[in-house]
Amino acid sequence: MRYSKSLVVPAVVVAVLGGAGACSHAENSRPEGDAAQSSAVPVGRPNIVVVLVDDLRWDEFGAAGHPYLQTPNIDRLAAEGAMFLNAFHAVPLCSPNRASLLTGQYPSRHGIIDNVARNRASHQLQTFPHTLQAAGYETAFVGKWHMGNDPTPRPGFDYWAALPGQGRTVDPLLFENGALGEVEGYVTDVLNERAVRFIQQQREGPFLLYLSHKGVHPDARQLDDGSVDLDYPMVYVPAPRHIGRYDDRVYRRRPNVPDSLAEIGSPASRAALALRAGPEIRDVFGDDFLDPLTGETTIRRRAEMLLAIDEGVGHILNALESARILDRTAVVFTSDNGYFFGEHGFSIERRMPYEEAIRSPLLMRYPPLVAPGLRIGELVSSVDVAPTLLELGGPGSRASVLVEFYTYENPMPWLTSMDYRAIRTQRYKYIHWTRHEDELYDLESDPYEMHNLIGEPSMDSVTARLRGQLGALSLEALGLGGA
């Protein structure tokens, strides 16, 4: 996958998407019988399905190693396609990373830098669905847009069914067919049904389905300033049929879950968590909201919420198979940011630069290009998704990934000084905090990021090299440098 400074698509890409280029994969495709050969979708113009899960950790499904969560349909994608072992979020925060996935740009370039309701700005993003639509694809957006609370249609989509803001888990409001109305049912099921219905429509050309789930995010109400309505209960709500499925299971905690602030090596993190523990924060937010070490109940309910999403992946695969276009459809599964289960003392602070927050689940099934069971260890970023789907080329190799975060007053005032830019290579991670001491980790010997190597003389050359690379990547992200 390659970084794209803009979505000005090269002529060769338009030719491929238009079926006129030399990159047809007919000789490598695996059609499902004679009927598949007569499908209306030429092999050179594959359908595309993107399934985006909210807040899903990179290790929070069966094939990724979750100790008890059973996700047979998501695991099928991993078994029949590629699992990216070193995929990362360009920014581990909902709104800006959703924009990065859709544009192939960093927040410093596309301008959606936080969860403040930038409704007008998100109507003006130059997205890959818009480009595909112009190339003849029928496009659909279903689910949680979450770049602003405005659920009205954005450019680039022929069919639009969107939740306002964070959305509601039970009997959700949905903007569909030009109006906002309540739909009876569990939100994941409502979205899955519309996704399958779109796939089943008769059409002459290829399609793009962008399915953006509310799960596994808890029920919450986000205000336009980016803060959370504390009077609205923030709870995880699985589908009724799945509630209690994992009540007797215990999650294996990673070694970097501390017992006290003193065990946290990062001065920046220690300062933020000390502020969170103070009365000025706890008196406002309360222990239930802060959930400092993320209890077993939270982890169990998240797992149960994912079961309905997994069922939906199965429904989508079945619908594609019934239409005899499964192997002519690129199916991508990913998330918008990670989550902490108490690692480094964090829980709801998804935006921190540590592995649990910045690593991304990324699966792709597309037999003409992707061998079954492929495991890809090269570094890739969420900014690579858009150009890859436009080009449908094989993943390239990155030497490093850039992660950036711009803090703001809401919704977590204990994080107001936590702006950072970070560079992550195969071995090292260098974090440049704008207002705190920098951090350097050797992920080969210290995979849980517990020993900060900044200031150690033996690491001075590594630090200098990574600092220079971080500066170059930051300029490139702004459009001020690079090729």
Side-chain angles (χ1 to χ4, degrees), residues 192-231:
N192 285 334
E193 289 164 3
R194 281 154 176 77
V196 169
R197 195 183 308 156
F198 178 77
I199 290 171
Q200 292 173 334
Q201 291 174 7
Q202 295 295 316
R203 56 177 57 86
E204 294 299 319
F207 66 82
L208 161 73
L209 167 64
Y210 200 97
L211 172 59
S212 177
H213 280 292
K214 173 177 172 52
V216 293
H217 197 285
D219 255 346
R221 179 180 292 142
Q222 190 150 21
L223 306 177
D224 281 353
D225 66 359
S227 64
V228 176
D229 183 353
L230 296 176
D231 293 327

Side-chain angles (χ1 to χ4, degrees), residues 230 234 272-273 275-295 298 339-340 342 345-349 411-414:
L230 296 176
M234 193 171 78
L273 291 167
L275 183 59
R276 187 183 74 177
E280 65 272 25
I281 296 296
R282 306 202 78 81
D283 288 351
V284 173
F285 289 89
D287 288 343
D288 289 342
F289 179 85
L290 296 173
D291 190 19
L293 290 181
T294 309
T298 293
Y339 197 84
F340 289 104
F346 291 118
S347 58
I348 58 175
E349 299 91 345
M412 300 176 188
W414 60 95

Side-chain angles (χ1 to χ4, degrees), residues 91 93-100 103 105-125 145-148 404 406:
V91 50
L93 182 61
C94 305
S95 296
N97 202 37
R98 288 166 182 265
S100 290
T103 64
Q105 298 172 346
Y106 287 94
S108 51
R109 187 77 177 274
H110 59 59
I112 310 295
I113 61 172
D114 51 34
N115 284 351
V116 171
R118 290 180 168 81
N119 296 312
R120 190 172 293 109
S122 78
H123 276 272
Q124 298 172 359
L125 292 175
W145 179 255
H146 196 216
M147 281 172 273
E404 59 181 23
Y406 299 85

